[in-house]
Amino acid sequence: MFLTVCMNPTIQKTLRFTGLVTDRVNRTSCYRTDPSGKGVNVSRVLSQLGKQCLHLTQLGGPLRPLFLDLCGKDRIPLQWVESESPIRFCYTLINDADRSVTELVEEAEPVAAGTEGRLMEAYQQALGGVTWVIISGTKAAGFSDDAVPEMVRAAKAAGKKVLLDLRGEDLRRSLRYKPDIIKPNLSEFIQTFAPEDAGTGGGGALEGRIRRIALGLAGEYQCRVVLTRGAEPVWFAEGSRFSEAAFEPAPPVNTTGSGDAFTAGLAAALETGAALADAVLAGIACGACNARLFRVGAIQG
Ligand SMILES: Nc1ncnc2c1ncn2[C@@H]1O[C@H](COP(=O)(O)OP(=O)(O)OP(=O)(O)O)[C@@H](O)[C@H]1O
Ligand SMILES: [Mg+2]
């Protein structure tokens, strides 16, 4: 049983155009509306993999009934606390003319005072019934910087397995509690642990530095490090070993949420006792399925 946590839910509109032109009226009859946010995507894919999962989030505002209805249709069991922060929209614009995928993200309004306490209480209660905790994505404004590290601390103190798809201070400050596995994408990893390399374009020297940093974290915190890189091979570190898993890239339709699909596949495999290299392959299979679909964060359309 998995507990997935997302502190920044959204309603995701995905719109596909044969040709998208700025400064013009663009019409399409190809669009959909999905509940999203990283943790919701992970939950949807876990559910599609036949895994049991409870999703914990904060919700507020007039669109909450729509979000709950959409989660029900996707068979995502949900526990939520009142936040008074109106649930936001995010938009994915797919342009077939140049094969571009453009993300438009509304930043959430701050959650109300008291939300963090309610969420922590619900989290503590939910922890008892699960074996794995997956915490993904950013948090809405209004949560303290202690919220995520405290969730990791409590999960590890309760003997749970913890997977983090986080970046920045939430990730850095959670490491001391020894999560079992961290899975940012490469650019999030660079932003977090090697900001001086951000935007340098990569190359062999960068790979060497990333390998050293990943192995350093794996050694210091006894955690496994998995770095996805879009259509490029996945890098992963365990103990003193750094490996790469290559795959055949698919012609993508919508890669949004591929990292979340990867997380679900990885966690589902690890939960059954798979070795990390095999779990990474399971993650790659789910990431590729997601990339081929129009629907966000899914392995079934
Ligand atoms: N074009 C593609 N073809 C096949 N697989 C892909 C493609 N793009 C992504 N994937 C799979 O999905 C995984 C995760 O992708 P990526 O690194 O883009 O995640 P991400 O940036 O965390 O995405 P998100 O946060 O939107 O979920 C990749 O490691 C790969 O296995
Ligand atoms: Mg991601």
Side-chain angles (χ1 to χ4, degrees):
M1 173 84 167
F2 295 88
L3 174 63
T4 55
V5 182
C6 174
M7 295 153 88
N8 212 355
T10 182
I11 294 176
Q12 182 91 22
K13 298 288 304 180
T14 307
L15 302 99
R16 187 172 187 173
F17 299 89
T18 47
L20 185 64
V21 186
T22 55
D23 237 5
R24 292 276 188 284
V25 175
N26 293 268
R27 292 178 190 273
T28 181
S29 51
C30 184
Y31 56 87
R32 54 177 301 140
T33 306
D34 295 286
S36 191
K38 306 257 155 234
V40 176
N41 295 343
V42 173
S43 310
R44 180 161 43 240
V45 176
L46 283 172
S47 155
Q48 293 180 342
L49 287 168
K51 297 288 173 183
Q52 264 195 304
C53 140
L54 175 65
H55 181 61
L56 176 64
T57 191
Q58 52 86 5
L59 294 174
L63 291 174
R64 182 165 63 205
L66 171 62
F67 183 88
L68 293 173
D69 182 53
L70 292 169
C71 284
K73 289 188 171 119
D74 283 351
R75 297 198 176 80
I76 300 172
L78 206 70
Q79 186 153 357
W80 58 274
V81 298
E82 173 64 71
S83 68
E84 294 166 43
S85 169
I87 188 162
R88 66 207 166 113
F89 280 109
C90 293
Y91 307 84
T92 302
L93 308 181
I94 299 171
N95 184 3
D96 288 338
D98 60 5
R99 305 189 71 92
S100 62
V101 178
T102 305
E103 286 290 312
L104 307 176
V105 176
E106 292 181 1
E107 294 290 7
E109 285 179 30
V111 296
T115 304
E116 187 167 324
R118 289 191 285 277
L119 192 73
M120 285 301 182
E121 202 175 312
Y123 176 82
Q124 284 290 356
Q125 279 172 14
L127 260 189
V130 303
T131 49
W132 275 81
V133 175
I134 302 176
I135 307 176
S136 313
T138 53
K139 56 190 190 305
F143 285 107
S144 78
D145 291 342
D146 291 333
V148 171
E150 172 54 23
M151 284 182 177
V152 178
R153 189 205 62 73
K156 290 312 300 175
K160 310 301 173 184
K161 298 276 189 196
V162 174
L163 187 161
L164 303 179
D165 182 359
L166 304 171
R167 63 180 152 92
E169 284 304 296
D170 281 340
L171 177 54
R172 293 179 73 92
R173 298 186 60 212
S174 294
L175 284 173
R176 72 188 74 159
Y177 301 116
K178 302 197 171 159
D180 296 272
I181 184 157
I182 63 172
K183 189 233 76 75
N185 67 27
L186 179 64
S187 73
E188 292 162 343
F189 187 80
I190 290 173
Q191 274 171 35
T192 306
F193 298 108
E196 65 284 2
D197 283 319
T200 55
L206 177 67
E207 179 175 350
R209 280 199 295 282
I210 297 302
R211 172 192 291 254
R212 272 196 301 283
I213 296 169
L215 287 172
L217 296 176
E220 187 173 354
Y221 300 106
Q222 291 93 55
C223 81
R224 291 176 278 183
V225 179
V226 177
L227 305 177
T228 62
R229 304 160 61 223
E232 298 293 317
V234 176
W235 289 338
F236 56 103
E238 182 174 33
S240 57
R241 200 183 165 107
F242 187 88
S243 315
E244 174 174 292
F247 56 90
E248 200 60 50
V253 175
N254 181 10
T255 53
T256 312
S258 284
D260 306 325
F262 180 102
T263 294
L266 177 79
L270 289 173
E271 189 250 351
T272 64
L276 182 60
D278 293 327
V280 166
L281 294 180
I284 286 173
C286 288
C289 271
N290 180 81
R292 283 192 215 100
L293 294 174
F294 178 53
R295 188 182 193 185
V296 65
I299 55 170
Q300 290 159 20

